[in-house]
Amino acid sequence: MRIVGLVFLVLMMSACTTSPPRNPGDICAIFREKDGWYDDAKDASKKWNSPIPIMMAIMYQESRFVAKAKPPKKYWLGFIPAGRMSDAYGYAQAKDGTWKWYVDKSGNWGADRDDFTDAIDFVAWYNNTSNKINGISNTDTYSLYMAYHEGHGGFKKRSFDKKAWLKRVASNVTSRAATYGTQLSRCEKDLKSGGWFFGIF
């Protein structure tokens, strides 16, 4: 019985680790629920000079914090399965080639796209790369998301100019980052000290 109970506990902990946060609209609630996520985001932010609210807003838009998120399937003639729309995967919806580029350049060997620690580091690294390649300010959420979605080459060519839907999405990401920033300013002191733990009982 003890072994069965231990297996059950491990399975439960695994489920809690991979399930998306219950309140993805509140960054304080996210970090209070997901043990270690704040420290991971803070480390990535410091390492790559990318603000936490912007990284988290991009990740929300890409996957809603679903660890094994994949793009929708596509169909021929409306009903014949034809694979996925792209090979993007995980929290950050990074494509195979872009993830390999990240691993090679960052030295984060063994990184997994369905691991939050690696995914948030990827988002921060990508934003930092957008700053270096495209000259985008690390606080310009709108442009950072455009470069994230369209790629650095696409951003340079302004491939988004005729994509009204993408402009709306980028505006939503910008708005969410601002909301996250306001929320984080109210709870970050407690998150840094661990004081939130005692406030949930």
Side-chain angles (χ1 to χ4, degrees), residues 39-58:
D39 288 337
D40 291 337
K42 182 178 64 175
D43 290 346
S45 176
K46 184 177 180 180
K47 182 179 180 181
W48 302 110
N49 192 30
S50 184
I52 292 174
I54 294 177
M55 294 188 297
M56 293 293 284
I58 289 175

Side-chain angles (χ1 to χ4, degrees), residues 9-20:
L9 179 61
V10 170
L11 290 174
M12 286 295 293
M13 290 177 66
S14 175
C16 290
T17 300
T18 57
S19 62

Side-chain angles (χ1 to χ4, degrees), residues 34-109:
K34 297 297 181 179
D35 184 43
W37 278 25
Y38 171 72
D39 288 337
D40 291 337
K42 182 178 64 175
D43 290 346
S45 176
K46 184 177 180 180
K47 182 179 180 181
W48 302 110
N49 192 30
S50 184
I52 292 174
I54 294 177
M55 294 188 297
M56 293 293 284
I58 289 175
M59 187 176 284
Y60 173 93
Q61 179 59 43
E62 293 300 288
S63 70
R64 299 300 193 273
F65 304 111
V66 174
K68 300 180 183 296
K70 296 179 181 179
K73 292 181 179 179
K74 56 184 178 181
Y75 297 88
W76 290 332
L77 303 177
F79 64 94
I80 303 174
R84 301 277 176 182
M85 292 184 176
S86 83
D87 57 17
Y89 176 72
Y91 285 110
Q93 286 297 278
K95 295 182 178 179
D96 291 349
T98 309
W99 189 259
K100 184 178 183 302
W101 180 34
Y102 157 70
V103 170
D104 290 343
K105 293 298 183 180
S106 69
N108 189 12
W109 310 111

Side-chain angles (χ1 to χ4, degrees), residues 24-27 30 53 56-57 60 65 176-184:
D26 186 335
I27 197 170
I30 293 171
M56 293 293 284
Y60 173 93
F65 304 111
R176 184 169 300 280
T179 298
Y180 277 171
T182 300
Q183 293 169 344
L184 188 61

